[in-house]
């Protein structure tokens, strides 16, 4: 059996078990994301290098390591990886995947609020499409800043609450609705309820509020405008002057946050 087929079967087994009310399209999407995690993570290393900094020999924390794709890719790029995750079953799966790829990392299960690491431990922190599954985002963001060394950077990505098509249920406008109405809407469409994926919706302004409420000093790092041209350059420049990141309107919010 090829490694790809094995990953597909493992993913389908996991999601079928944990999301019994999910539609076939929801399960297929989750399996596809899981299978593609390794290749996506390799692309993320390049993006990280361009926006955040060098990976090699840097101590990097992956918040919400899932099946271990990011940890594997960043370790293979020379990083010294640690990770936190709330799901013990995912922890076992990730360790198996790391072993299959001859990668070692410090993976820990935590309580969803308090990272089991001292202050100023990591050169960088990455959290890739995890924040929407976090129940206490303000606390988690504060913990990211706490364990980060001064001048270290966080790469934080998450789906945009105001993007019309929600990326997990693949349903339009569900993220605009009150939670009770959203679940009714999903039930009518025969989709999994928000609670099965611990799914929450956060906007650019929510993340900025969480950052401001932390006790740590930080600065947003904006895209290098010299690297872009045309209308996009005008667009990005305009919102930078307003101190608003251009991804406010995109499908995926992207923050690079430097601890001061």
């Amino acid at each position: 059996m090829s490694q790809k087929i094995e990953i597909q079967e493992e993913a389908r087994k996991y999601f079928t078990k944990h999301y019994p009310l999910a539609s076939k399209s929801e399960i297929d999407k989750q399996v596809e994301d899981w299978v593609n995690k390794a290749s996506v993570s390799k692309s993320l290393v390049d993006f990280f290098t361009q926006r955040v900094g060098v990976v090699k020999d840097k101590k990097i924390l992956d918040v919400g390591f899932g099946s271990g794709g990011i940890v594997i890719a960043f370790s293979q790029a020379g990083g010294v990886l640690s990770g936190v995750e709330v799901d013990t079953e995912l922890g076992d799966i990730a360790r198996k995947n790391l072993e299959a790829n001859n990668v070692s990392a410090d993976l820990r299960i935590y309580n969803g609020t308090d990272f089991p690491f001292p202050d100023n431990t990591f050169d960088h922190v990455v959290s890739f499409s995890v924040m929407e599954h976090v129940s206490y985002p303000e606390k988690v963001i504060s913990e990211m800043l706490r364990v980060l060394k001064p001048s270290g950077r966080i790469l934080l990505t998450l789906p945009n609450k105001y993007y019309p098509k929600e990326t997990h249920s693949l349903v339009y406008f569900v993220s605009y609705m009150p939670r009770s109405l959203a679940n009714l809407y999903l039930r009518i469409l025969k989709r999994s309820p928000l609670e099965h994926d611990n799914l929450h919706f956060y906007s650019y302004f929510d993340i900025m509020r969480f950052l401001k409420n932390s006790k740590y000093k930080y600065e947003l790092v904006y895209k290098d405008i010299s690297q872009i041209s045309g209308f996009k350059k005008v667009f990005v420049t305009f919102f930078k002057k307003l101190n608003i990141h251009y991804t406010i309107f995109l499908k995926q919010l992207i923050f690079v946050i430097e601890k001061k």
Side-chain angles (χ1 to χ4, degrees):
M1 181 184 298
S2 70
Q3 186 178 23
K4 182 176 180 179
I5 293 175
E6 185 177 346
I7 292 172
Q8 285 177 327
E9 290 187 355
E10 182 177 60
R12 192 167 297 280
K13 179 180 177 181
Y14 177 85
F15 289 115
T16 301
K17 173 184 175 182
H18 288 274
Y19 307 108
L21 298 180
S23 66
K24 182 179 183 301
S25 61
E26 287 179 285
I27 295 292
D28 289 344
K29 176 66 166 56
Q30 295 276 25
V31 171
E32 180 185 3
D33 289 346
W34 192 318
V35 171
N36 292 334
K37 192 75 171 181
S39 60
V40 170
S41 297
K42 289 178 181 177
S43 299
L44 184 62
V45 170
D46 295 333
F47 184 88
F48 186 96
T49 302
Q50 294 169 8
R51 297 289 189 275
V52 178
V54 175
V55 170
K56 186 173 175 56
D57 298 326
K58 298 296 183 180
K59 294 183 69 175
I60 299 172
L61 175 67
D62 180 16
V63 178
F65 58 73
S67 59
I70 287 175
V71 170
I72 292 168
F74 277 70
S75 295
Q76 290 174 339
V80 181
L81 270 291
S82 297
V84 290
E85 174 60 64
V86 297
D87 189 328
T88 55
E89 188 174 347
L90 280 178
D92 293 338
I93 291 169
R95 291 183 183 91
K96 186 173 73 172
N97 289 338
L98 263 63
E99 184 178 354
N101 285 273
N102 296 314
V103 166
S104 61
D106 182 8
L107 302 184
R108 305 191 191 184
I109 302 300
Y110 82 121
N111 62 6
T113 56
D114 304 297
F115 293 178
F117 298 102
D119 296 358
N120 307 319
T121 298
F122 297 99
D123 297 298
H124 300 303
V125 175
V126 60
S127 182
F128 183 60
S129 293
V130 170
M131 192 58 60
E132 68 269 25
H133 304 290
V134 169
S135 300
Y136 305 97
E138 189 168 328
K139 174 64 174 173
V140 169
I141 286 176
S142 181
E143 283 291 275
M144 290 183 191
L145 288 165
R146 180 185 67 78
V147 301
L148 189 65
K149 295 177 182 178
S151 298
R153 290 181 174 181
I154 299 167
L155 174 60
L156 174 65
T157 77
L158 67 154
N160 187 350
K161 175 180 180 177
Y162 295 122
Y163 193 79
K165 189 175 184 180
E166 199 280 310
T167 58
H168 298 76
S169 63
L170 305 178
V171 170
Y172 283 94
F173 307 121
V174 68
S175 60
Y176 295 14
M177 301 175 184
R179 201 163 183 87
S180 58
L181 181 58
N183 274 329
L184 175 60
Y185 181 41
L186 291 169
R187 187 162 67 248
I188 291 170
L189 295 176
K190 298 183 179 180
R191 300 298 175 95
S192 183
L194 300 178
E195 287 72 23
H196 279 196
D197 209 9
N198 194 33
L199 196 56
H200 304 268
F201 306 116
Y202 304 118
S203 70
Y204 170 89
F205 299 105
D206 291 326
I207 300 301
M208 292 306 301
R209 175 165 50 86
F210 301 150
L211 284 166
K212 288 175 182 177
N213 287 344
S214 77
K215 67 179 182 180
Y216 302 98
K217 293 183 179 180
Y218 69 92
E219 182 177 323
L220 288 187
V221 179
Y222 292 91
K223 185 171 184 175
D224 184 356
I225 295 174
S226 66
Q227 296 178 358
I228 56 179
S229 60
F231 173 76
K232 188 174 181 180
K233 184 171 184 177
V234 175
F235 178 81
V236 173
T237 303
F238 173 75
F239 281 98
K240 182 176 180 181
K241 288 183 178 179
L242 296 177
N243 201 33
I244 296 175
H245 200 279
Y246 72 101
T247 59
I248 185 174
F249 296 112
L250 302 185
K251 181 178 181 179
Q252 195 82 357
L253 297 174
I254 303 170
F255 296 87
V256 179
I257 305 153
E258 183 172 304
K259 183 177 179 179
K260 307 309 288 184

